């Protein structure tokens, strides 16, 4: 006989006998009750059957699609995929669909930024490689995953700067060690005579340029200072060097 969540065997009999009561697994979060009534010879007896509720546990999943990311010297933004869920289990068996669990993140290292699953490294203006990390922490479970970051070093591109004068004409010459990857400008600053200050531009892809300027007087080389500027997305670090 099947009744509620129990099966009783045998259904009938006479004389002395053993009755077996089998309960199906309780896959609910509530306890269950039922009754068995045995009658014969004008007499009946009732047996109460009680079953505990199912044992509820949660299984947390927290993974990241990539455990490491590499960036070139120019930096940039890359993204990862985070899987953050919890699965209810009753008596060790899945119950329902996975539920999304929120998480937080913390950035570590020079040049590391971003939010959510986007990870940004700024341009590396150093001639040394650098590293960092982003740590994600799942709410509720406290589980963590970490993405390691690495970035290549910038290459120094030395620009030799010369200045000379012949018959009242000044020659400003720039010569780069490697072809420049952006527009690079070098300003000659004459501390004793600002009228001679001159900014010379080396166009992208070039290794040298000469600028000629008609001006009188003489040059006091010790008083010349150099200032170099270039675009932020350039993969080189430029150093202006006196060539006289």
């Amino acid at each position: 006989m099947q009744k509620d969540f129990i099966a009783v065997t045998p259904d009938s009999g006479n004389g002395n006998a053993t009755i077996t009561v089998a309960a199906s697994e309780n896959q609910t979060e509530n306890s269950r009750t039922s009754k068995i009534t045995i009658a014969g010879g004008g007499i009946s007896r009732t047996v109460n059957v009680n079953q505990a509720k199912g044992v509820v546990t949660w299984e947390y999943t927290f993974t990241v699609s990539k455990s490491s990311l590499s960036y070139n010297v120019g930096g940039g933004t890359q993204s990862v995929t985070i899987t953050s869920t919890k699965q209810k289990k009753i008596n060790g068996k899945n119950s329902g669909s996975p539920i999304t669990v929120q998480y937080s993140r913390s950035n570590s290292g020079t040049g590391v930024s971003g939010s959510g699953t986007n990870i940004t490294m700024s341009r590396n203006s150093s001639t040394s490689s650098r590293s960092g990390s982003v740590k994600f922490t799942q709410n509720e479970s406290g589980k963590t995953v970490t993405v390691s970051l690495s970035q290549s070093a910038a290459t120094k591109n030395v620009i030799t700067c010369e200045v000379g004068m012949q018959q009242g004409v000044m020659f400003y010459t720039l010569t780069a060690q490697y072809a420049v990857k952006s527009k690079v400008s070098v300003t000659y600053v004459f501390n004793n005579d600002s009228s001679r200050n001159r900014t010379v531009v080396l166009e992208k892809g070039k290794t040298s340029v000469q600028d000629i300027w008609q001006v009188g007087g003489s040059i006091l080389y010790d008083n010349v200072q150099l200032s170099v500027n270039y675009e932020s997305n350039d993969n080189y670090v430029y150093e202006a060097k006196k060539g006289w």
Side-chain angles (χ1 to χ4, degrees):
M1 176 185 68
Q2 184 71 41
K3 179 185 179 185
D4 300 328
F5 57 91
I6 58 177
V8 181
T9 55
D11 285 345
S12 60
N14 55 72
N16 296 331
T18 298
I19 296 175
T20 300
V21 180
S24 62
E25 182 178 6
N26 188 357
Q27 280 293 110
T28 74
E29 297 180 59
N30 301 304
S31 59
R32 302 190 292 194
T33 62
S34 188
K35 292 182 179 182
I36 302 170
T37 300
I38 303 169
I43 301 173
S44 67
R45 294 289 185 270
T46 297
V47 178
N48 294 320
V49 179
N50 301 306
Q51 186 180 33
K53 63 184 178 180
V55 177
V56 177
T57 57
W58 291 92
E59 182 179 71
Y60 287 85
T61 298
F62 194 50
T63 60
V64 62
S65 58
K66 298 177 182 178
S67 60
S68 63
L69 295 174
S70 298
Y71 295 80
N72 61 29
V73 65
T77 299
Q78 300 185 56
S79 62
V80 295
T81 300
I82 296 288
T83 300
S84 181
T85 61
K86 63 179 180 180
Q87 173 65 59
K88 180 190 284 187
K89 290 179 175 288
I90 300 180
N91 301 331
K93 298 178 182 178
N94 289 351
S95 175
S97 300
I99 300 171
T100 299
V101 179
Q102 298 300 311
Y103 58 87
S104 60
R105 66 175 272 174
S106 59
N107 303 325
S108 177
T110 303
V112 181
S113 63
S115 61
T117 56
N118 292 325
I119 302 175
T120 300
M121 286 286 281
S122 63
R123 180 181 181 276
N124 187 3
S125 57
S126 168
T127 54
S128 298
S129 60
R130 62 185 185 181
S131 60
S133 64
V134 175
K135 181 180 179 181
F136 296 91
T137 303
Q138 187 181 44
N139 299 353
E140 298 183 25
S141 74
K143 285 187 173 183
T144 63
V145 291
T146 300
V147 181
S148 299
L149 311 176
S150 61
Q151 186 175 30
S152 55
T155 300
K156 181 182 288 187
N157 192 348
V158 177
I159 299 177
T160 301
C161 307
E162 299 177 272
V163 60
M165 178 175 286
Q166 186 175 4
Q167 297 180 351
V169 176
M170 292 190 72
F171 298 86
Y172 301 82
T173 304
L174 305 181
T175 304
Q177 187 177 2
Y178 312 108
V180 299
K181 294 184 178 180
S182 69
K183 181 184 291 186
V184 179
S185 63
V186 176
T187 300
Y188 292 73
V189 179
F190 291 79
N191 296 331
N192 63 319
D193 186 358
S194 61
S195 66
R196 297 174 183 272
N197 293 356
R198 190 75 166 173
T199 298
V200 183
V201 176
L202 190 56
E203 297 292 342
K204 181 179 179 180
K206 302 294 184 180
T207 57
S208 63
V209 65
Q210 186 174 76
D211 185 56
I212 301 174
W213 188 30
Q214 186 78 37
V215 64
S218 60
I219 302 173
L220 297 177
Y221 290 99
D222 290 342
N223 291 323
V224 181
Q225 301 298 321
L226 301 171
S227 174
V228 60
N229 291 283
Y230 50 93
E231 296 176 12
S232 61
N233 60 351
D234 199 317
N235 289 345
Y236 284 132
V237 171
Y238 293 93
E239 177 185 319
K241 174 184 175 182
K242 293 181 180 181
W244 59 87

